[in-house]
Amino acid sequence: MVKKTWKRFLVWAKSSLAGQRLLLAAKTSLAVGVAWILARYMPGVADKYPYYAPLGALVSMYPTLMGSVRAGLQTLAGLFIGIALAAGVLLAGTPNILSISLAVGLGVLVAGDPRLGVGKDYVPVAVLFVLIVGGQDADSYSVGYALQMALGVTVGLVVNLLIFPPLAIDAARLLVSRGRNLLVGQLEDIARALVESWPPEREDWSQRSGLINTTVSEIRGAAYHADESRKGNPRAYLHSRHQLVTESFEDLNTLEAVAFNIRDITEVLSTVIWGNDSNNRLHPNTCKPMSECLQSVGSLMSSWDKGTAEQRHFDQAREALNLLDSELKRSARQKDLSLTPGAAVAFDCERILNSLHQRIIKDRAEEPV
């Protein structure tokens, strides 16, 4: 138990210290400290409430610059709405248990607006703070509360902008590469299983559909995070890395199409091999050409991952697919076995080749010289 806990701690520490989390922690500490120092120099009544400036800096610190901007603005919007609701109670007379409770309830209702985002929690909180903490000095408290929070949010945004605004592009591209390698390995495992003694002893490949789905979902999340990290980020434009985000999305779209067809191949063949339908089996003569076709498609995807894919790789894969089609046509004369599984695999391979050709060859030809 202790060993497992220690191992998990080491994994967490490695991911935190080696990634963006350590940088975010350092910038948050700096922003909170700067906000606390500047808060004491705020004019008027605001200098009575310096502790809200560090809070504003804290809530505005997000892993991405655009996330910080959005969180900061949403927090201030929720805060100002809450102060406005509290002001309505004060205008109606001296606050009491009933009026405070109704105002807080109304704040909770207003906080249901999805446009407030993370600021929704500050609507009822601001109502409660102004009416209870502010008390008889609610006017000056509201001004100080709002100004100090605004100062803290501003400090947080400036710190996040000036000190290595994070870019998550490399992480997205790494996940795309891992996804390609996973699909290549799946095709190779299926290809080997087809030429093993029948039925194949290896069946781990037949249980990877869930892993493929999870991997594609992780890639999509990383791609959107990368896109979010480049918005308003000067590092993205200084290094022309915004183009890499576009390429990551294009790779992701192609990868999703390829993954869909590989999942279909996996399900078709696993059903044929270990299913109970005796009328839905592969013809023995089609196993070898099908294996070679899947190997060829896997080699093409591997060259795509390495950035070395050329038209000749497509020609080789197309030739293997044509051999499979020819064998399927020859086997059509035998009525004892169904051709549906082989035709389904051939059709999936055809769609994989079309998707890869569109992404690699056609897109490359459309690039400006």
Side-chain angles (χ1 to χ4, degrees):
M1 183 66 180
V2 176
K3 186 177 181 179
K4 289 183 179 180
T5 304
W6 177 248
K7 185 179 293 186
R8 290 176 182 174
F9 173 77
L10 290 178
V11 172
W12 170 84
K14 182 179 179 181
S15 61
S16 299
L17 298 179
Q20 296 291 337
R21 180 59 57 177
L22 178 61
L23 177 61
L24 178 62
K27 292 197 296 184
T28 301
S29 300
L30 176 62
V32 167
V34 172
W36 176 250
I37 294 173
L38 296 179
R40 302 186 179 188
Y41 296 95
M42 288 290 286
V45 297
D47 65 346
K48 297 181 181 179
Y49 310 99
Y51 37 83
Y52 286 118
L55 176 62
L58 179 63
V59 300
S60 67
M61 295 302 294
Y62 266 64
T64 64
L65 182 61
M66 188 54 61
S68 292
V69 173
R70 187 182 300 111
L73 293 179
Q74 289 173 344
T75 298
L76 292 179
L79 178 65
F80 291 145
I81 292 174
I83 291 176
L85 292 176
V89 174
L90 293 173
L91 291 176
T94 303
N96 53 53
I97 295 178
L98 179 60
S99 61
I100 293 175
S101 299
L102 290 176
V104 171
L106 181 59
V108 173
L109 289 176
V110 174
D113 190 337
R115 291 174 296 181
L116 286 174
V118 298
K120 66 180 185 298
D121 296 329
Y122 287 87
V123 178
V125 169
V127 174
L128 198 61
F129 278 14
V130 171
L131 295 179
I132 294 182
V133 180
Q136 299 298 324
D137 200 20
D139 292 341
S140 61
Y141 175 83
S142 299
V143 174
Y145 186 13
L147 290 179
Q148 292 288 14
M149 285 289 289
L151 171 65
V153 168
T154 302
V155 171
L157 295 180
V158 171
V159 169
N160 216 358
L161 174 64
L162 297 181
I163 303 179
F164 299 107
L167 277 172
I169 299 174
D170 292 337
R173 294 179 66 81
L174 178 61
L175 278 177
V176 169
S177 179
R178 289 179 179 175
R180 282 191 290 240
N181 290 329
L182 173 64
L183 296 179
V184 169
Q186 181 71 352
L187 288 173
E188 292 176 345
D189 286 347
I190 297 175
R192 283 193 292 268
L194 285 170
V195 293
E196 289 178 352
S197 57
W198 206 263
E201 295 181 0
R202 292 166 48 89
E203 56 179 293
D204 53 332
W205 56 269
S206 65
Q207 303 170 359
R208 290 190 192 140
S209 294
L211 177 60
I212 294 174
N213 291 337
T214 301
T215 301
V216 173
S217 298
E218 290 177 350
I219 295 172
R220 177 162 292 280
Y224 277 108
H225 185 63
D227 185 52
E228 180 80 1
S229 71
R230 75 177 176 89
K231 293 178 180 178
N233 194 328
R235 291 178 61 203
Y237 296 95
L238 287 175
H239 299 284
S240 300
R241 303 191 72 185
H242 57 284
Q243 179 62 29
L244 296 179
V245 178
T246 302
E247 293 177 359
S248 295
F249 270 106
E250 293 171 352
D251 286 345
L252 169 64
N253 293 330
T254 302
L255 202 64
E256 282 186 317
V258 172
F260 174 83
N261 291 292
I262 292 180
R263 286 199 305 266
D264 189 59
I265 292 174
T266 302
E267 293 170 2
V268 167
L269 292 180
S270 60
T271 301
V272 169
I273 295 172
W274 291 287
N276 297 322
D277 189 358
S278 60
N279 295 321
N280 200 18
R281 294 181 289 129
L282 285 177
H283 194 287
N285 294 339
T286 63
C287 290
K288 183 177 180 181
M290 187 180 296
S291 174
E292 293 175 350
C293 180
L294 294 178
Q295 283 278 14
S296 183
V297 173
S299 297
L300 172 60
M301 288 194 61
S302 181
S303 62
W304 174 36
D305 183 62
K306 297 174 183 176
T308 58
E310 299 178 357
Q311 183 61 47
R312 60 185 179 87
H313 296 108
F314 284 93
D315 295 338
Q316 293 170 359
R318 181 70 61 179
E319 181 180 357
L321 178 59
N322 291 336
L323 292 175
L324 174 60
D325 287 336
S326 299
E327 185 57 46
L328 288 173
K329 292 176 182 178
R330 281 195 295 268
S331 301
R333 301 186 185 92
Q334 301 186 20
K335 305 298 184 180
D336 58 327
L337 294 176
S338 172
L339 293 177
T340 303
V345 172
F347 185 59
D348 284 325
C349 290
E350 174 76 25
R351 291 193 294 182
I352 292 174
L353 293 180
N354 289 338
S355 298
L356 293 177
H357 193 272
Q358 177 67 34
R359 172 69 187 100
I360 301 173
I361 302 300
K362 287 189 176 181
D363 288 358
R364 183 184 297 170
E366 293 173 358
E367 291 180 355
V369 179

